[in-house]
Amino acid sequence: LTMGKYTSNTLQIYNTLSGKKEVFNPLNEGAIGMYVCGPTVYSNVHLGNVRTFMSFDMIFRYFKHLGYKVRYVRNITDAGHLENDADQGEDRIAKKARLEQIEPMEVVQRYTVDFHNILSIFNFLPPSIEPTATGHIVEQIEIIKSIIDKGYAYEANGSIYFDVIKYNESHDYGILSGRNIEDMAHNTRALDGQSDKKNPQDFALWKKAEPKHIMRWPSPWSDGFPGWHLECTAMSTKYLGESFDIHGGGMDLKFPHHECEIAQAKAWHNHSPVNYWMHANMLTLNGQKMAKSTGNNILPSEILNGDTDKLTKGFSPSVVRFFMMQAHYRSILDFSNDALLASEKGFLKLMEAVTSLSKIEATEVVNDFDVIKWKSNCYAAMNDDFNTPILIAELFSAVKYINQIKDNKASINNSSLAVLTETMQQFVFDILGLKTAVSNDQNHKLGETIELLIKMRNEARAQKDFALSDKIRDELIGIGIQLKDGKDGTTFLLD
């Protein structure tokens, strides 16, 4: 039973707020509240975001494995996130809607579905709660009223801005990112035209909508929409309380997004909202920053189907997951064809050993490997700020041992075999979230079965029975098999 394993595991977490590893003590024993900033759903989910969410999926899995009761909240930003993370300009979702001539909520729905599909293909556990920004407008308005009452926000032409200079008189704006107000004032670019802000560092809590702005809600100040930073403060505190354990996100959100969240919450409640701030590092592609504008970009779906000049072939979701877990969540990870090919070899070797374990015969002998010490090393790696690369190195010392037993060069007794088998299963599948690789023979049979279903779907389409053809496609997606219709017919992609 894993209940209460956390009592015998002291966990150290790197806290961005203090800049060092700290012993993790949750506010309530045996329970954890964790909030992670989710995607802005205006386009297909970016691979860098997938890495961030995968890091927190692994962390969520480990907490659960240790027997913690975890409430994991990951939001969907479906309004208010302006281009370039600015206070001026167009809403990212509204812009996409205008370009495609569809409703903003159609954009939101399309890319929320895409986000969920991709995450389920990569074997993510769903969060406990997935709130949307537009579902919490009322809460955001109430927080703004309270911040205005406390003197930390002001109205200008129907918009509400947070007064950073006033806040900084009694608090520390820059506590998370290590920036100071003077430097920020120096580096803030001049805004076009006349700005309504008292100071360039001030940020919007509520924006009055321009006449052409489609997404708008009534408020005491104007018809408008909330500021991006405020949405996360409203949703995290609503479901986790005004103080909670962990707030996570990508490194790029540290400033201004998370800095502003701290300021809003402190102005509102006069104390720090979060005990441990965790930031996952970014992903580069062939040594360069990923960016749509430069074309140095790759979509999760392109990795799976190999439909990109960046890769020589497609890779299974578990290989990609294994590749990401081979780096520490706080280190930059460079994505390349060679790195994936190397990970695939390692992954297959690991899976082969896990499969061999079930066929190993134990003997009543002294072991050639200290399984108990090895198991405690696996936990020690995860307890040291979730060090998955060290954990994987430990798993491979077990792989080496399993292969020696298989070749009759080593032996294991019953009790150690039981511990080894259970520990491998837990760390490989439950904590790292990998899935077994399918053998060639099974692959062949599965391939023929899917081809049969594709044929049935084509017949249904020919007879204009689109309900059946969609049902076949959707049910296959549900079990991790994606159909791709192209000019040369339909192909499929396996999870």
Side-chain angles (χ1 to χ4, degrees):
L1 201 67
T2 56
M3 264 313 288
K5 251 189 199 161
Y6 57 83
T7 53
S8 55
N9 283 277
T10 303
L11 195 54
Q12 293 236 334
I13 292 180
Y14 182 88
N15 189 351
T16 310
L17 206 50
S18 64
K20 55 179 191 278
K21 287 182 199 173
E22 296 175 10
V23 171
F24 177 63
N25 287 310
L27 288 161
N28 301 299
E29 198 198 329
I32 294 173
M34 175 164 88
Y35 183 87
V36 172
C37 293
T40 300
V41 281
Y42 70 103
S43 66
N44 296 97
V45 64
H46 186 295
L47 191 63
N49 291 353
V50 171
R51 183 195 179 194
T52 296
F53 300 133
M54 192 178 287
S55 297
F56 288 101
D57 181 63
M58 170 272 294
I59 289 164
F60 179 38
R61 284 167 174 275
Y62 188 57
F63 282 147
K64 284 169 75 92
H65 171 76
L66 291 180
Y68 281 107
K69 184 170 188 269
V70 191
R71 178 176 289 174
Y72 173 21
V73 182
R74 187 186 66 212
N75 73 303
I76 295 278
T77 297
D78 57 355
H81 190 172
L82 304 190
E83 292 176 282
N84 307 320
D85 300 347
D87 276 333
Q88 307 293 109
E90 204 169 353
D91 186 297
R92 291 178 175 192
I93 290 159
K95 181 179 181 180
K96 185 80 166 189
R98 185 171 54 74
L99 292 172
E100 299 198 6
Q101 296 187 311
I102 54 176
E103 276 287 330
M105 281 301 153
E106 280 181 78
V107 173
V108 165
Q109 178 67 8
R110 176 185 301 169
Y111 295 115
T112 302
V113 169
D114 168 71
F115 175 66
H116 288 147
N117 280 345
I118 291 291
L119 264 50
S120 104
I121 286 171
F122 285 109
N123 198 26
F124 280 62
L125 298 177
S128 325
I129 302 176
E130 195 172 44
T132 62
T134 55
H136 295 75
I137 301 288
V138 172
E139 289 85 346
Q140 292 170 70
I141 289 172
E142 291 306 312
I143 296 172
I144 297 171
K145 285 182 190 167
S146 176
I147 295 175
I148 292 173
D149 288 347
K150 298 197 169 148
Y152 292 114
Y154 58 90
E155 182 181 354
N157 292 329
S159 291
I160 307 290
Y161 293 99
F162 188 92
D163 192 334
V164 170
I165 304 291
K166 173 85 197 300
Y167 168 82
N168 201 51
E169 288 167 9
S170 50
H171 300 83
D172 182 2
Y173 184 78
I175 190 168
L176 183 71
S177 59
R179 302 180 183 213
N180 68 43
I181 290 277
E182 290 73 31
D183 292 350
M184 288 186 238
H186 204 64
N187 293 328
T188 308
R189 58 173 184 265
L191 294 166
D192 299 335
Q194 192 54 44
S195 172
D196 293 331
K197 297 181 191 183
K198 285 186 190 170
N199 311 292
Q201 303 82 352
D202 295 352
F203 57 89
L205 298 174
W206 185 265
K207 285 287 289 178
K208 179 182 179 176
E210 300 293 320
K212 64 179 193 311
H213 198 96
I214 318 171
M215 302 175 87
R216 55 172 70 220
W217 291 265
S219 82
W221 315 286
S222 63
D223 273 10
F225 53 93
W228 173 41
H229 313 308
L230 185 68
E231 299 170 346
C232 284
T233 296
M235 292 181 279
S236 59
T237 52
K238 173 161 182 172
Y239 299 109
L240 299 172
E242 54 185 66
S243 285
F244 56 95
D245 298 302
I246 293 173
H247 192 314
M251 209 70 107
D252 54 326
L253 297 181
K254 202 189 307 185
F255 186 86
H257 188 50
H258 291 160
E259 196 72 75
C260 295
E261 277 190 63
I262 293 176
Q264 290 161 168
K266 277 191 178 170
W268 181 26
H269 291 307
N270 208 24
H271 62 75
S272 200
V274 177
N275 283 354
Y276 302 86
W277 283 89
M278 296 181 72
H279 291 93
N281 215 325
M282 59 178 209
L283 198 58
T284 54
L285 177 59
N286 298 323
Q288 303 288 314
K289 187 179 187 308
M290 274 201 207
K292 285 193 189 124
S293 53
T294 59
N296 194 48
N297 187 42
I298 190 166
L299 287 172
S301 57
E302 294 172 331
I303 298 160
L304 304 174
N305 59 28
D307 192 8
T308 165
D309 58 0
K310 311 270 189 299
L311 300 175
T312 50
K313 66 187 204 69
F315 292 89
S316 84
S318 276
V319 166
V320 179
R321 194 170 173 117
F322 179 69
F323 163 72
M324 292 194 182
M325 292 293 142
Q326 282 180 296
H328 190 269
Y329 77 91
R330 281 193 294 116
S331 62
I332 291 178
L333 173 59
D334 189 50
F335 195 91
S336 70
N337 189 61
D338 290 353
L340 274 174
L341 287 168
S343 278
E344 186 171 52
K345 280 199 186 103
F347 170 73
L348 293 170
K349 199 173 160 187
L350 177 64
M351 286 304 156
E352 209 177 302
V354 171
T355 311
S356 307
L357 250 183
S358 57
K359 302 175 188 140
I360 281 176
E361 300 284 330
T363 46
E364 284 316 312
V365 289
V366 179
N367 297 323
D368 300 328
F369 183 75
D370 187 342
V371 174
I372 303 302
K373 172 90 177 77
W374 167 79
K375 178 180 173 175
S376 94
N377 290 349
C378 290
Y379 280 99
M382 287 301 285
N383 292 341
D384 180 17
D385 194 30
F386 312 97
N387 200 326
T388 54
I390 300 286
L391 169 68
I392 288 171
E394 289 294 342
L395 295 177
F396 273 96
S397 36
V399 167
K400 192 174 162 191
Y401 177 45
I402 292 163
N403 290 337
Q404 286 172 340
I405 302 170
K406 208 168 75 178
D407 299 340
N408 296 321
K409 289 180 184 154
S411 48
I412 189 166
N413 64 28
N414 265 315
S415 63
S416 292
L417 180 60
V419 172
L420 182 61
T421 305
E422 185 192 34
T423 309
M424 281 297 268
Q425 290 283 336
Q426 288 173 338
F427 279 94
V428 172
F429 301 117
D430 302 351
I431 295 165
L432 292 178
L434 303 173
K435 283 184 168 178
T436 325
V438 189
S439 76
N440 281 341
D441 179 45
Q442 288 169 304
N443 253 338
H444 185 65
K445 287 179 182 156
L446 181 60
E448 290 191 339
T449 311
I450 299 169
E451 291 298 347
L452 188 68
L453 284 162
I454 289 174
K455 204 171 143 199
M456 287 168 70
R457 179 168 169 260
N458 288 341
E459 284 166 6
R461 287 164 86 182
Q463 288 162 8
K464 302 228 178 327
D465 185 352
F466 298 116
L468 178 61
S469 81
D470 288 353
K471 187 175 179 346
I472 293 171
R473 184 198 60 210
D474 296 344
E475 303 245 339
L476 283 171
I477 283 178
I479 54 171
I481 298 165
Q482 216 178 341
L483 297 186
K484 284 234 166 282
D485 296 320
K487 53 181 186 298
D488 303 323
T490 303
T491 52
F492 65 89
L493 204 68
L494 274 188
D495 173 14

